[in-house]
Amino acid sequence: MTRLPLEHPLKTAALLLLALLTVAGSAIARHRHASNAEPGAFDYYLLSLSWSPAFCLSDPEAAECTGARRFGFIVHGLWPQFEEGWPENCNVHEPVPDSVVAGISDIMPARGLVYHEWSAHGTCSGLGPQDFFAFVRSAYRAVAIPSAFSGTAQPVERAPAAITAAFVHANPQLAPASVVVVCGGQGVPRLREVRICLDRNLKPRACSAAAARGACRAEALIVAPIR
């Protein structure tokens, strides 16, 4: 019986693995986002609240980090979501008026962030820029920030579950399943964002399994202080 050289099955296995990864990657890409989605066709919103002190550690020259005001939570975005994945960069070409940029600056202080969030996410809402950012403000107002985050002067360590519990305590309408705590950082996990899942009328709802996959898995994380 003739035996094939070992390199043949190895090459075959490698080619099969490459093919599987290609297919899997395409499937993931399809489920992550759709750039040609129809504006207004989505399932719910995800309000992303960014913890500004953590961002300023890595980007101290950013607009929100250099002014007289020191921010705590700011709005990263209000993102239309599918139950699996999200629409992105929908085919809407309407600029954000300067008056809208100025009017939202107290909760979205970076002009570039406003433009990006409109282009990437707001265009998929089915709203015009003025109405979309008014909706962003309504979503922000619908969530009370726990008092523990209003004046931190020193770094504190918190479990992600404790941060979720603080938001639920401050917002009795929320359930833990509506809150996703996100961490980042090099070496030491730090609070980066708190994401709140809301229905299309800005009422709390459970986050989809896809959104929940972004939750921080660390046992504890550092909450950078407001300076």
Side-chain angles (χ1 to χ4, degrees):
M1 178 178 177
T2 303
R3 297 184 62 182
L4 293 174
L6 182 60
E7 64 177 9
H8 287 186
L10 289 177
K11 286 182 178 179
T12 301
L15 289 171
L16 285 172
L17 179 60
L18 179 61
L20 288 171
L21 289 174
T22 301
V23 172
S26 298
I28 291 170
R30 285 197 302 272
H31 284 92
R32 283 175 61 84
H33 58 81
S35 59
N36 59 349
E38 179 185 352
F42 61 94
D43 297 313
Y44 71 99
Y45 283 108
L46 193 155
L47 173 66
S48 178
L49 300 174
S50 173
W51 184 240
S52 182
F55 173 74
C56 290
L57 288 175
S58 59
D59 198 351
E61 300 304 315
E64 69 192 73
C65 310
T66 56
R69 179 179 175 184
R70 291 296 181 259
F71 292 91
F73 280 108
I74 66 167
V75 175
H76 181 177
L78 183 67
W79 304 333
Q81 300 284 292
F82 300 132
E83 295 299 333
E84 181 68 35
W86 61 90
E88 191 172 78
N89 297 313
C90 290
N91 189 25
V92 174
H93 304 282
E94 187 175 353
V96 183
D98 287 343
S99 59
V100 172
V101 177
I104 201 71
S105 62
D106 58 320
I107 59 174
M108 298 183 76
R111 178 177 292 266
L113 173 64
V114 174
Y115 291 150
H116 170 78
E117 290 302 309
W118 165 249
S119 177
H121 304 288
T123 55
C124 297
S125 68
L127 302 171
Q130 185 165 348
D131 289 339
F132 173 71
F133 286 103
F135 213 53
V136 169
R137 184 174 295 281
S138 295
Y140 178 78
R141 286 176 173 168
V143 178
I145 303 300
S147 59
F149 296 94
S150 61
T152 56
Q154 299 293 329
V156 295
E157 188 176 74
R158 293 282 186 272
I163 296 173
T164 296
F167 270 83
V168 171
H169 180 75
N171 299 273
Q173 76 277 18
L174 288 178
S178 299
V179 182
V180 176
V181 176
V182 179
C183 59
Q186 297 178 346
V188 179
R190 299 182 185 276
L191 174 63
R192 191 175 77 191
E193 293 183 357
V194 173
R195 298 173 179 174
I196 311 292
C197 295
L198 305 166
D199 68 18
R200 293 177 61 120
N201 295 313
L202 301 183
K203 302 298 182 184
R205 55 150 280 171
C207 296
S208 67
R213 285 196 288 270
C216 181
R217 305 301 178 189
E219 292 185 3
L221 48 79
I222 300 298
V223 181
I226 299 174
R227 297 188 185 278

